[in-house]
Amino acid sequence: MNNKNIFSQKKKRSIRPNRILTLLVALTIVFGGVKVVSAATKFIQEQQAIKLEEKRKEEEAKALAEKKRKEEEEKKKYIVGCNNDAKKYSYDAKKVEEKLNSYDYSNNGEKVVFLTFDDGTSTTVTPEVLRILKENDVHATFFVTGQNIERGGDKAKELLKEELANGHAIANHSYSHDYKTLYPNKTLDLDAFKADFAKTDELLKDTLGKYFSTRVIRCPGGHMSWRGMDPLDAYLDENNMASIDWNALNKDAEGRRKNADELTQEAIKTSEGKEMVVLLMHDTYGKEETAKALPQIIKYFKDNGYEFKTLV
Protein backbone atom coordinates (compact mmCIF):
# COMPACT_ATOMS: atom_id res chain seq x y z
CA MET A 1 0.00 0.00 0.00
CA ASN A 2 1.43 3.29 -1.03
CA ASN A 3 1.54 6.38 1.15
CA LYS A 4 -1.26 8.05 -0.71
CA ASN A 5 -3.76 5.34 0.08
CA ILE A 6 -2.66 5.22 3.66
CA PHE A 7 -3.20 9.00 3.95
CA SER A 8 -6.63 8.74 2.32
CA GLN A 9 -7.81 6.07 4.77
CA LYS A 10 -6.56 8.10 7.71
CA LYS A 11 -8.41 11.15 6.40
CA LYS A 12 -11.67 9.21 6.05
CA ARG A 13 -11.29 7.88 9.56
CA SER A 14 -10.66 11.39 10.90
CA ILE A 15 -13.60 12.93 9.03
CA ARG A 16 -16.20 10.43 10.24
CA PRO A 17 -16.11 11.50 13.91
CA ASN A 18 -16.35 15.16 12.87
CA ARG A 19 -19.47 14.43 10.89
CA ILE A 20 -21.01 12.66 13.83
CA LEU A 21 -20.15 15.60 16.12
CA THR A 22 -21.63 18.06 13.64
CA LEU A 23 -24.75 15.96 13.38
CA LEU A 24 -25.01 15.84 17.15
CA VAL A 25 -24.55 19.58 17.40
CA ALA A 26 -27.13 20.13 14.68
CA LEU A 27 -29.55 17.81 16.41
CA THR A 28 -28.94 19.62 19.72
CA ILE A 29 -29.59 22.97 18.07
CA VAL A 30 -32.72 21.65 16.36
CA PHE A 31 -34.19 20.04 19.45
CA GLY A 32 -33.05 22.90 21.67
CA GLY A 33 -34.67 25.31 19.26
CA VAL A 34 -37.89 23.33 19.35
CA LYS A 35 -37.87 23.56 23.13
CA VAL A 36 -37.21 27.29 22.99
CA VAL A 37 -39.95 27.79 20.43
CA SER A 38 -42.29 25.61 22.46
CA ALA A 39 -41.58 27.62 25.62
CA ALA A 40 -42.06 30.90 23.77
CA THR A 41 -45.32 29.67 22.25
CA LYS A 42 -46.56 28.56 25.65
CA PHE A 43 -45.66 31.95 27.16
CA ILE A 44 -47.49 33.81 24.37
CA GLN A 45 -50.53 31.59 24.81
CA GLU A 46 -50.53 32.18 28.57
CA GLN A 47 -50.30 35.94 28.07
CA GLN A 48 -53.15 35.83 25.55
CA ALA A 49 -55.24 33.81 28.01
CA ILE A 50 -54.51 36.35 30.76
CA LYS A 51 -55.54 39.23 28.48
CA LEU A 52 -58.70 37.40 27.43
CA GLU A 53 -59.58 36.77 31.07
CA GLU A 54 -58.93 40.43 31.95
CA LYS A 55 -61.08 41.51 29.01
CA ARG A 56 -63.84 39.10 30.08
CA LYS A 57 -63.76 40.44 33.64
CA GLU A 58 -63.76 44.02 32.37
CA GLU A 59 -66.77 43.34 30.13
CA GLU A 60 -68.49 41.52 32.99
CA ALA A 61 -67.90 44.50 35.31
CA LYS A 62 -69.23 46.88 32.67
CA ALA A 63 -72.32 44.73 32.16
CA LEU A 64 -72.87 44.57 35.94
CA ALA A 65 -72.48 48.35 36.26
CA GLU A 66 -74.90 48.90 33.40
CA LYS A 67 -77.42 46.50 34.95
CA LYS A 68 -77.12 48.32 38.28
CA ARG A 69 -77.54 51.69 36.55
CA LYS A 70 -80.69 50.48 34.80
CA GLU A 71 -82.04 49.09 38.08
CA GLU A 72 -81.41 52.44 39.78
CA GLU A 73 -83.14 54.23 36.92
CA GLU A 74 -86.03 51.81 37.19
CA LYS A 75 -86.30 52.42 40.95
CA LYS A 76 -86.64 56.14 40.32
CA LYS A 77 -89.79 55.44 38.33
CA TYR A 78 -91.55 53.78 41.26
CA ILE A 79 -93.96 55.97 43.22
CA VAL A 80 -95.00 54.81 46.69
CA GLY A 81 -97.86 56.89 48.05
CA CYS A 82 -96.64 60.23 46.73
CA ASN A 83 -94.35 61.65 44.07
CA ASN A 84 -90.66 61.33 44.86
CA ASP A 85 -90.22 65.10 44.96
CA ALA A 86 -93.02 65.26 47.56
CA LYS A 87 -91.22 62.97 50.01
CA LYS A 88 -90.12 66.06 51.91
CA TYR A 89 -93.73 66.48 53.06
CA SER A 90 -94.11 62.82 54.04
CA TYR A 91 -93.84 60.86 57.28
CA ASP A 92 -93.35 57.15 57.89
CA ALA A 93 -96.87 55.75 58.29
CA LYS A 94 -95.60 52.75 60.30
CA LYS A 95 -94.34 55.10 63.01
CA VAL A 96 -97.69 56.89 63.10
CA GLU A 97 -99.49 53.54 63.28
CA GLU A 98 -97.41 52.58 66.32
CA LYS A 99 -98.22 55.90 68.00
CA LEU A 100 -101.94 55.52 67.39
CA ASN A 101 -101.96 51.92 68.59
CA SER A 102 -100.22 52.88 71.83
CA TYR A 103 -102.34 56.03 72.33
CA ASP A 104 -99.10 57.98 72.58
CA TYR A 105 -99.59 61.32 70.83
CA SER A 106 -96.37 62.96 71.99
CA ASN A 107 -93.69 63.83 69.42
CA ASN A 108 -90.63 65.09 71.29
CA GLY A 109 -92.07 68.57 71.50
CA GLU A 110 -92.56 68.86 67.73
CA LYS A 111 -96.13 69.39 66.58
CA VAL A 112 -97.26 67.60 63.43
CA VAL A 113 -100.70 67.24 61.85
CA PHE A 114 -101.91 64.88 59.15
CA LEU A 115 -104.97 66.15 57.31
CA THR A 116 -106.73 63.04 56.00
CA PHE A 117 -109.74 62.82 53.70
CA ASP A 118 -111.79 59.64 53.28
CA ASP A 119 -114.13 58.25 50.63
CA GLY A 120 -113.00 60.35 47.64
CA THR A 121 -112.53 61.26 45.03
CA SER A 122 -115.73 63.20 44.39
CA THR A 123 -116.25 65.54 41.49
CA THR A 124 -117.99 68.07 43.76
CA VAL A 125 -116.04 68.40 47.02
CA THR A 126 -112.54 67.18 46.11
CA PRO A 127 -111.84 70.05 43.65
CA GLU A 128 -112.62 72.62 46.35
CA VAL A 129 -110.47 70.79 48.92
CA LEU A 130 -107.57 70.71 46.46
CA ARG A 131 -107.94 74.41 45.73
CA ILE A 132 -107.86 75.34 49.44
CA LEU A 133 -104.88 73.11 50.16
CA LYS A 134 -102.96 74.69 47.30
CA GLU A 135 -103.85 78.23 48.38
CA ASN A 136 -102.57 77.48 51.89
CA ASP A 137 -99.51 75.56 50.69
CA VAL A 138 -100.23 72.49 52.80
CA HIS A 139 -100.47 68.82 51.91
CA ALA A 140 -102.87 66.06 52.85
CA THR A 141 -103.44 62.33 52.56
CA PHE A 142 -106.41 61.11 50.50
CA PHE A 143 -107.84 57.71 51.46
CA VAL A 144 -109.68 56.90 48.26
CA THR A 145 -112.40 54.35 47.48
CA GLY A 146 -112.47 52.59 44.12
CA GLN A 147 -116.23 52.80 43.61
CA ASN A 148 -116.27 56.57 44.02
CA ILE A 149 -113.41 56.96 41.57
CA GLU A 150 -115.32 54.88 39.03
CA ARG A 151 -118.50 56.76 39.83
CA GLY A 152 -116.80 60.04 38.96
CA GLY A 153 -115.44 58.73 35.67
CA ASP A 154 -112.69 60.58 33.83
CA LYS A 155 -113.11 63.71 35.95
CA ALA A 156 -112.50 61.77 39.16
CA LYS A 157 -109.42 60.14 37.64
CA GLU A 158 -108.07 63.54 36.63
CA LEU A 159 -108.58 64.73 40.20
CA LEU A 160 -106.65 61.71 41.42
CA LYS A 161 -103.78 62.67 39.11
CA GLU A 162 -103.99 66.25 40.39
CA GLU A 163 -103.71 65.05 43.98
CA LEU A 164 -100.52 63.18 43.14
CA ALA A 165 -99.08 66.01 41.04
CA ASN A 166 -99.70 68.56 43.82
CA GLY A 167 -97.61 66.62 46.36
CA HIS A 168 -100.43 64.94 48.29
CA ALA A 169 -100.33 61.29 49.35
CA ILE A 170 -102.82 58.71 48.13
CA ALA A 171 -103.84 55.74 50.27
CA ASN A 172 -106.29 52.86 49.89
CA HIS A 173 -109.66 52.96 51.67
CA SER A 174 -111.12 49.85 49.96
CA TYR A 175 -113.14 49.49 46.79
CA SER A 176 -116.66 48.95 48.12
CA HIS A 177 -116.57 50.37 51.66
CA ASP A 178 -119.10 47.62 52.37
CA TYR A 179 -119.02 46.52 56.00
CA LYS A 180 -121.01 43.34 55.30
CA THR A 181 -118.47 42.22 52.71
CA LEU A 182 -115.38 43.17 54.69
CA TYR A 183 -116.59 42.29 58.19
CA PRO A 184 -119.49 39.81 58.13
CA ASN A 185 -120.97 39.57 61.64
CA LYS A 186 -118.60 42.43 62.55
CA THR A 187 -115.62 40.08 62.14
CA LEU A 188 -112.87 40.45 59.54
CA ASP A 189 -113.02 38.26 56.44
CA LEU A 190 -109.36 38.58 55.41
CA ASP A 191 -109.75 37.07 51.93
CA ALA A 192 -112.68 39.35 51.10
CA PHE A 193 -110.82 42.32 52.57
CA LYS A 194 -107.68 41.70 50.51
CA ALA A 195 -109.65 41.15 47.31
CA ASP A 196 -111.64 44.35 47.84
CA PHE A 197 -108.54 46.47 48.48
CA ALA A 198 -106.73 44.84 45.54
CA LYS A 199 -109.41 46.19 43.18
CA THR A 200 -108.59 49.74 44.25
CA ASP A 201 -104.86 49.06 43.95
CA GLU A 202 -105.38 48.02 40.34
CA LEU A 203 -107.55 51.06 39.66
CA LEU A 204 -104.82 53.32 41.07
CA LYS A 205 -102.23 51.70 38.81
CA ASP A 206 -104.52 52.05 35.79
CA THR A 207 -105.00 55.74 36.58
CA LEU A 208 -101.62 56.84 37.95
CA GLY A 209 -99.35 54.44 36.07
CA LYS A 210 -97.96 50.96 36.56
CA TYR A 211 -95.19 52.27 38.84
CA PHE A 212 -97.61 53.62 41.46
CA SER A 213 -98.37 51.78 44.69
CA THR A 214 -99.34 52.65 48.24
CA ARG A 215 -98.51 50.84 51.45
CA VAL A 216 -101.00 52.83 53.54
CA ILE A 217 -104.60 51.75 54.09
CA ARG A 218 -107.50 52.82 56.24
CA CYS A 219 -110.08 50.24 57.21
CA PRO A 220 -113.64 51.37 56.48
CA GLY A 221 -115.19 52.14 59.87
CA GLY A 222 -111.71 52.15 61.41
CA HIS A 223 -109.49 49.26 62.44
CA MET A 224 -110.64 49.79 66.03
CA SER A 225 -114.25 48.93 65.25
CA TRP A 226 -114.03 45.26 64.24
CA ARG A 227 -113.24 41.85 65.67
CA GLY A 228 -110.66 39.33 64.47
CA MET A 229 -108.19 41.88 63.09
CA ASP A 230 -105.00 39.99 64.07
CA PRO A 231 -104.67 38.20 60.68
CA LEU A 232 -104.84 41.57 58.92
CA ASP A 233 -102.17 42.98 61.24
CA ALA A 234 -99.90 40.03 60.47
CA TYR A 235 -100.49 40.44 56.72
CA LEU A 236 -99.70 44.17 56.86
CA ASP A 237 -96.53 43.59 58.89
CA GLU A 238 -95.32 40.94 56.45
CA ASN A 239 -95.79 43.37 53.56
CA ASN A 240 -94.47 46.51 55.30
CA MET A 241 -97.88 48.16 55.14
CA ALA A 242 -99.63 50.40 57.66
CA SER A 243 -103.26 50.68 58.74
CA ILE A 244 -103.98 54.23 59.88
CA ASP A 245 -106.97 55.21 62.01
CA TRP A 246 -107.21 58.70 63.59
CA ASN A 247 -107.03 60.48 66.92
CA ALA A 248 -109.03 63.62 65.98
CA LEU A 249 -111.98 64.34 63.70
CA ASN A 250 -114.28 67.11 62.54
CA LYS A 251 -117.30 64.78 62.92
CA ASP A 252 -118.57 65.38 59.40
CA ALA A 253 -119.81 61.77 59.38
CA GLU A 254 -121.12 61.53 62.96
CA GLY A 255 -124.53 62.55 64.24
CA ARG A 256 -126.51 65.39 62.72
CA ARG A 257 -125.22 67.49 59.85
CA LYS A 258 -122.98 70.31 61.01
CA ASN A 259 -122.07 73.63 59.46
CA ALA A 260 -118.51 74.78 58.76
CA ASP A 261 -118.09 76.55 62.11
CA GLU A 262 -119.25 73.50 64.05
CA LEU A 263 -116.94 71.23 62.06
CA THR A 264 -114.03 73.56 62.77
CA GLN A 265 -114.74 73.55 66.51
CA GLU A 266 -114.93 69.74 66.57
CA ALA A 267 -111.56 69.50 64.79
CA ILE A 268 -109.98 71.90 67.29
CA LYS A 269 -111.53 70.27 70.33
CA THR A 270 -110.50 66.73 69.42
CA SER A 271 -106.93 67.83 68.58
CA GLU A 272 -106.18 69.71 71.78
CA GLY A 273 -103.23 68.53 73.85
CA LYS A 274 -101.80 66.32 71.09
CA GLU A 275 -98.42 66.90 69.49
CA MET A 276 -99.24 64.35 66.78
CA VAL A 277 -102.69 64.77 65.23
CA VAL A 278 -104.26 62.50 62.61
CA LEU A 279 -107.41 64.39 61.65
CA LEU A 280 -110.26 62.51 59.98
CA MET A 281 -112.39 64.36 57.42
CA HIS A 282 -114.23 63.43 54.24
CA ASP A 283 -114.17 64.76 50.68
CA THR A 284 -116.96 62.60 49.31
CA TYR A 285 -120.31 63.78 47.95
CA GLY A 286 -122.36 65.90 50.36
CA LYS A 287 -119.37 67.14 52.40
CA GLU A 288 -119.36 70.71 51.10
CA GLU A 289 -119.32 72.09 54.66
CA THR A 290 -116.04 70.25 55.27
CA ALA A 291 -114.48 72.16 52.39
CA LYS A 292 -115.86 75.42 53.80
CA ALA A 293 -114.39 74.64 57.23
CA LEU A 294 -110.97 73.69 55.89
CA PRO A 295 -109.39 77.21 55.74
CA GLN A 296 -110.15 77.83 59.43
CA ILE A 297 -108.93 74.35 60.40
CA ILE A 298 -105.67 74.95 58.56
CA LYS A 299 -105.33 78.37 60.19
CA TYR A 300 -105.75 76.87 63.65
CA PHE A 301 -102.93 74.40 63.14
CA LYS A 302 -100.65 76.98 61.56
CA ASP A 303 -101.28 79.45 64.38
CA ASN A 304 -100.44 76.75 66.91
CA GLY A 305 -97.13 75.76 65.35
CA TYR A 306 -98.07 72.49 63.65
CA GLU A 307 -96.18 71.17 60.64
CA PHE A 308 -98.34 69.58 57.94
CA LYS A 309 -97.23 66.14 56.78
CA THR A 310 -98.51 63.28 54.60
CA LEU A 311 -98.65 59.55 55.35
CA VAL A 312 -96.60 57.23 53.16
Side-chain angles (χ1 to χ4, degrees):
M1 183 179 293
N2 58 33
N3 291 336
K4 186 177 181 179
N5 289 336
I6 292 169
F7 176 78
S8 177
Q9 289 175 358
K10 286 181 178 180
K11 186 177 181 182
K12 287 178 181 177
R13 283 197 296 269
S14 65
I15 290 170
R16 193 174 290 122
N18 289 339
R19 285 180 177 175
I20 292 169
L21 181 61
T22 301
L23 181 61
L24 288 171
V25 170
L27 288 172
T28 301
I29 292 170
V30 168
F31 285 109
V34 168
K35 288 182 179 179
V36 170
V37 170
S38 177
T41 302
K42 185 177 180 182
F43 175 77
I44 291 169
Q45 289 173 341
E46 287 174 349
Q47 291 302 307
Q48 287 175 337
I50 291 170
K51 287 181 180 179
L52 285 172
E53 180 64 13
E54 288 176 348
K55 186 177 180 182
R56 184 191 68 77
K57 288 181 177 178
E58 184 181 345
E59 289 175 351
E60 190 177 76
K62 284 182 180 178
L64 191 62
E66 179 63 13
K67 182 183 177 183
K68 189 173 181 180
R69 185 192 68 79
K70 287 182 178 178
E71 287 175 350
E72 290 299 320
E73 288 297 316
E74 193 72 5
K75 282 181 183 178
K76 291 178 184 178
K77 297 177 184 177
Y78 284 91
I79 300 170
V80 182
C82 68
N83 277 328
N84 291 329
D85 57 2
K87 293 293 184 186
K88 57 189 174 184
Y89 311 124
S90 69
Y91 201 100
D92 186 350
K94 289 295 288 183
K95 292 181 179 179
V96 177
E97 180 187 42
E98 290 170 6
K99 285 281 192 179
L100 292 175
N101 289 344
S102 63
Y103 302 98
D104 176 12
Y105 310 137
S106 63
N107 194 42
N108 299 318
E110 297 179 3
K111 293 181 176 181
V112 59
V113 59
F114 303 93
L115 303 179
T116 70
F117 295 90
D118 281 14
D119 299 351
T121 59
S122 71
T123 57
T124 53
V125 178
T126 303
E128 186 65 6
V129 168
L130 286 173
R131 181 189 66 78
I132 294 165
L133 292 172
K134 189 172 184 179
E135 282 182 357
N136 288 273
D137 192 26
V138 296
H139 299 85
T141 305
F142 290 88
F143 288 87
V144 300
T145 52
Q147 277 190 344
N148 264 347
I149 295 169
E150 290 186 341
R151 178 182 175 185
D154 290 341
K155 186 175 179 181
K157 291 179 180 179
E158 288 304 313
L159 288 167
L160 198 60
K161 292 176 185 177
E162 185 180 342
E163 290 170 1
L164 190 66
N166 287 357
H168 305 298
I170 296 172
N172 194 335
H173 192 41
S174 83
Y175 177 83
S176 67
H177 206 286
D178 184 350
Y179 295 166
K180 290 181 180 179
T181 298
L182 303 172
Y183 324 105
N185 298 316
K186 296 185 178 182
T187 303
L188 172 74
D189 181 333
L190 183 59
D191 289 337
F193 189 100
K194 286 161 58 177
D196 197 82
F197 274 72
K199 288 177 71 174
T200 295
D201 280 334
E202 287 303 312
L203 182 56
L204 292 176
K205 284 186 185 297
D206 289 343
T207 306
L208 301 174
K210 66 179 182 178
Y211 293 103
F212 179 85
S213 66
T214 180
R215 70 184 191 119
V216 182
I217 71 165
R218 176 169 281 165
C219 301
H223 183 289
M224 64 188 88
S225 303
W226 313 105
R227 295 191 294 263
M229 300 297 277
D230 288 348
L232 175 62
D233 294 338
Y235 171 78
L236 295 176
D237 285 341
E238 287 169 7
N239 291 277
N240 192 30
M241 297 173 67
S243 173
I244 301 295
D245 278 358
W246 55 90
N247 64 355
L249 68 169
N250 69 351
K251 295 190 178 180
D252 60 358
E254 282 77 25
R256 62 174 180 80
R257 291 178 66 90
K258 301 171 186 65
N259 62 36
D261 288 338
E262 290 171 318
L263 295 173
T264 300
Q265 291 309 310
E266 291 291 351
I268 293 171
K269 184 171 68 176
T270 57
S271 300
E272 286 177 348
K274 298 167 184 173
E275 290 180 340
M276 179 177 285
V277 176
V278 182
L279 180 63
L280 171 64
M281 298 176 284
H282 296 79
D283 65 324
T284 190
Y285 298 95
K287 303 301 178 183
E288 286 78 9
E289 290 299 309
T290 291
K292 291 178 184 178
L294 188 55
Q296 286 303 310
I297 291 172
I298 291 172
K299 184 177 185 303
Y300 165 78
F301 286 110
K302 282 186 173 182
D303 289 347
N304 285 273
Y306 282 84
E307 187 175 7
F308 295 80
K309 290 287 188 178
T310 63
L311 293 157
V312 296

